[in-house]
Amino acid sequence: MIHYQLLRSSFVTSAQNILECPSPLFSEVVFLGRSNVGKSTFINLLCNQKNLAKSSQTPGKTQLINFFLTEWFNQNQGILKFYFVDLPGFGYAKVAKTQKELWNKNLIEFLQQRDNIKLFVHLIDSRHPFLEIDKNLVSFITRFLRKDQKFLQIFTKFDKLNANEKAKLKKAFTTAKFSSSLQKTNIVEIRDFLIQNTLGK
């Protein structure tokens, strides 16, 4: 697999809806998952920064669409730039019903209408791989997935499983990737894999 060197990463802006999003200058990788699955932590791990994306133990802390500009280098392709996009988690957020409905509307519009999204990354807690809420997300995204877009599942907190549980999970999800923020499991492989799929290769 082609290796990519991370040059820099930085926070760009937060948006409430698609109208507030930055100009679509670069391809985008969006990170989805239920609240507290570890989206912000995973983005920090990919970008080798501790506090780039703000993480919290409180479910539903991320309430906006957060954009991070990442720059990578490869000898054959030169410098490549992508947006990593941290989305609000679904489920569990303790907010008013009207607020949650607005979040859902804004997120659906963003996911369906943002043309430069090239890769959807669905993060799942390895300890809870078969939740209905995750199955519904897969069904939702695949309904409007374009030919120039890809969908990838990554299981977080893989270190929490024993050897037998890890083997069963890998057998059940043969195309998925597996990661641990504590052990930084497979992070270089996953990083390169994400970029390759964002490029459509």
Side-chain angles (χ1 to χ4, degrees):
M1 180 178 289
I2 300 173
H3 178 62
Y4 295 88
Q5 176 188 354
L6 175 65
L7 297 178
R8 61 185 62 88
S9 54
S10 59
F11 171 73
V12 177
T13 190
S14 295
Q16 288 187 326
N17 52 57
I18 194 170
L19 297 177
E20 295 181 0
C21 291
S23 299
L25 300 175
F26 310 108
S27 296
E28 293 175 358
V29 181
V30 297
F31 296 86
L32 310 101
R34 64 187 183 91
S35 298
N36 216 30
V37 75
K39 293 187 305 301
S40 300
T41 300
F42 187 71
I43 290 174
N44 289 337
L45 192 62
L46 289 173
C47 296
N48 199 28
Q49 291 193 43
K50 289 185 177 180
N51 298 304
L52 178 65
K54 304 302 181 184
S55 58
S56 172
Q57 295 299 314
T58 304
K61 185 68 173 179
T62 301
Q63 300 179 9
L64 300 172
I65 303 169
N66 296 309
F67 289 81
F68 304 91
L69 181 61
T70 67
E71 299 181 39
W72 310 82
F73 176 77
N74 171 266
Q75 285 187 336
N76 296 325
Q77 298 162 303
I79 295 176
L80 303 168
K81 296 183 180 182
F82 307 104
Y83 279 132
F84 281 2
V85 187
D86 188 10
L87 298 182
F90 49 85
Y92 303 125
K94 295 181 179 179
V95 296
K97 182 180 179 181
T98 52
Q99 179 65 48
K100 188 173 290 188
E101 289 174 349
L102 180 60
W103 283 0
N104 290 339
K105 176 180 178 295
N106 289 338
L107 282 177
I108 290 171
E109 287 181 351
F110 174 78
L111 293 171
Q112 293 182 336
Q113 299 177 24
R114 185 73 170 175
D115 291 337
N116 50 323
I117 295 176
K118 298 301 179 184
L119 178 62
F120 297 92
V121 179
H122 177 201
L123 299 181
I124 307 170
D125 190 323
S126 294
R127 300 167 298 179
H128 311 288
F130 301 109
L131 295 180
E132 194 68 27
I133 196 169
D134 285 309
K135 294 178 182 179
N136 290 339
L137 177 64
V138 174
S139 176
F140 170 70
I141 295 294
T142 52
R143 282 202 298 267
F144 62 82
L145 195 69
R146 304 191 311 260
K147 290 184 178 180
D148 65 328
Q149 295 175 322
K150 294 187 179 181
F151 179 81
L152 173 66
Q153 290 183 308
I154 296 179
F155 286 85
T156 63
K157 307 175 184 179
F158 196 53
D159 58 299
K160 304 294 184 183
L161 305 184
N162 60 38
N164 185 48
E165 291 170 332
K166 289 178 179 179
K168 287 183 177 180
L169 191 60
K170 286 185 174 182
K171 185 176 181 180
F173 296 90
T174 56
T175 60
K177 298 294 183 180
F178 306 88
S179 174
S180 164
S181 60
L182 292 177
Q183 300 175 355
K184 297 186 178 180
T185 306
N186 298 335
I187 196 60
V188 173
E189 175 196 342
I190 290 174
R191 186 187 289 160
D192 292 340
F193 187 80
L194 291 181
I195 294 175
Q196 285 285 293
N197 279 274
T198 305
L199 292 171
K201 298 181 178 181

